[in-house]
Amino acid sequence: MATVVVEATEPEPSGSIANPAASTSPSLSHRFLDSKFYLLVVVGEIVTEEHLRRAIGNIELGIRSWDTNLIECNLDQELKLFVSRHSARFSPEVPGQKILHHRSDVLETVVLINPSDEAVST
């Protein structure tokens, strides 16, 4: 699992980022805000229960190792919001593909499950 830090050069005019599930254009230009945190989780096809348990463990380990200031981003609180309020999209073209998304004032989270190459690049 890797953490990528991107420094913003210009503020986002609308204060938001386009939903990655809403477009398939490979030329999307997203701007990241310094005052916001972003989490992208990509999970391949889950075949067995053991595979699922290992994936969940690795994701949790990666998230828990994220060095954030709890005042700026309370991960426990933000992840609870994600679990209770995320939107889910299923792809008719890619069997098993799911895109889960939630955006708060502090954290934007996207979870791609069994995504196509196009969904990952978007």
Side-chain angles (χ1 to χ4, degrees):
M1 170 141 331
T3 302
V4 177
V5 178
V6 179
E7 199 169 309
T9 56
E10 299 176 44
E12 175 72 20
S14 67
S16 65
I17 293 179
N19 181 347
S23 174
T24 57
S25 170
S27 63
L28 287 176
S29 174
H30 296 313
R31 292 191 180 101
F32 294 94
L33 302 175
D34 285 336
S35 62
K36 196 166 187 170
F37 294 87
Y38 301 89
L39 175 62
L40 171 64
V41 178
V42 179
V43 180
E45 183 178 14
I46 301 293
V47 181
T48 66
E49 287 295 319
E50 177 62 21
H51 201 184
L52 176 61
R53 280 195 298 279
R54 286 184 184 188
I56 290 170
N58 286 333
I59 292 166
E60 183 174 347
L61 182 65
I63 291 171
R64 298 281 175 212
S65 69
W66 199 7
D67 185 22
T68 62
N69 179 336
L70 289 178
I71 295 170
E72 294 174 8
C73 181
N74 183 330
L75 277 175
D76 285 331
Q77 179 182 342
E78 291 298 321
L79 293 173
K80 285 177 186 174
L81 284 173
F82 172 81
V83 169
S84 65
R85 299 183 182 170
H86 71 273
S87 63
R89 292 194 44 189
F90 303 89
S91 171
E93 295 88 27
V94 181
Q97 177 176 286
K98 297 177 185 128
I99 300 172
L100 311 175
H101 179 251
H102 180 262
R103 175 179 33 221
S104 75
D105 291 339
V106 177
L107 177 68
E108 182 164 1
T109 305
V110 176
V111 178
L112 304 174
I113 301 170
N114 194 33
S116 66
D117 293 341
E118 186 176 338
V120 173
S121 66
T122 300

